[in-house]
């Protein structure tokens, strides 16, 4: 079954890459770990900032990776089972995760911080440069 593209308007030209990015995001959204996205206050002359906060209780800094790959922010967590423990009940699973966010052109990561089981990643979203270009019209007789 083929999917009807959501960006199929004849006025939206060259948005194939966005369509593929939307498909990747939908496929990778399993709900773990939970996260928040918030808009942070803008300082004078600074670009708009966003903060992504993930609940990563039980993960150490060494078990987390934050990378940018092309136009994607990728957060990975890797935990190992402790084979020396004997659990009577195990409600907290040691599990791997990968959470991916597609970044708009020009967005970049400012930094990341792990505190009290929350991983916060700050992003900057600079104002795009407004470019107006006049196109010459050739006349043929």
């Amino acid at each position: 079954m083929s999917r009807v593209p959501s960006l199929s308007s004849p006025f939206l030209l060259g948005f194939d890459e966005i369509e593929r990015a939307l498909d990747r995001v939908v496929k990778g959204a399993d709900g773990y770990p939970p996260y928040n996205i918030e808009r942070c206050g803008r300082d004078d002359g600074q670009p708009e900032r966003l903060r992504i906060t993930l609940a990563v209780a039980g993960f150490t800094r060494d078990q987390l990776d934050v990378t940018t790959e092309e136009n994607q922010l990728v957060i990975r967590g890797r935990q190992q089972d402790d084979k020396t423990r004997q659990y009577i009940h195990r409600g907290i699973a040691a599990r791997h995760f990968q959470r991916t966010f597609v970044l708009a052109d020009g967005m970049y990561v400012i930094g990341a911080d792990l505190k009290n089981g929350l991983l916060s990643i700050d992003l900057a979203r600079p104002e795009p440069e407004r470019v107006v270009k006049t196109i010459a019209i050739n006349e043929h007789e």
Side-chain angles (χ1 to χ4, degrees), residues 3-135:
R3 189 172 77 78
V4 176
S6 58
L7 302 175
S8 62
S9 168
F11 299 109
L12 297 173
L13 302 175
F15 287 91
D16 302 343
E17 188 60 36
I18 292 174
E19 191 79 33
R20 286 190 287 275
L22 289 171
D23 287 341
R24 283 193 308 265
V25 169
V26 169
K27 289 177 185 173
D30 73 346
Y32 180 80
Y35 64 93
N36 292 335
I37 301 175
E38 61 186 293
R39 183 174 290 121
C40 301
R42 186 186 292 225
D43 296 332
D44 291 330
Q46 297 296 317
E48 180 180 31
R49 290 184 24 232
L50 301 176
R51 176 172 293 145
I52 300 171
T53 304
L54 291 93
V56 293
F59 286 86
T60 65
R61 188 173 88 39
D62 295 335
Q63 295 170 327
L64 296 168
D65 286 318
V66 178
T67 60
T68 53
E69 301 170 10
E70 296 179 10
N71 65 334
Q72 296 182 86
L73 171 65
V74 181
I75 302 115
R76 293 182 181 93
R78 294 176 310 282
Q79 283 186 325
Q80 299 293 329
D81 271 335
D82 187 352
K83 303 295 184 193
T84 63
R85 292 184 172 184
Q86 294 181 351
Y87 294 97
I88 295 170
H89 169 75
R90 182 148 188 196
I92 303 171
R95 70 191 256 193
H96 303 315
F97 73 85
Q98 177 174 311
R99 174 70 72 181
T100 303
F101 297 91
V102 178
L103 304 177
D105 286 341
M107 286 190 77
Y108 60 93
V109 176
I110 298 171
D113 184 49
L114 180 63
K115 183 177 180 183
N116 297 328
L118 297 174
L119 175 64
S120 297
I121 302 163
D122 290 336
L123 304 160
R125 179 168 54 180
E127 219 24 66
E129 183 180 320
R130 305 289 184 218
V131 177
V132 176
K133 182 179 178 182
T134 302
I135 310 300

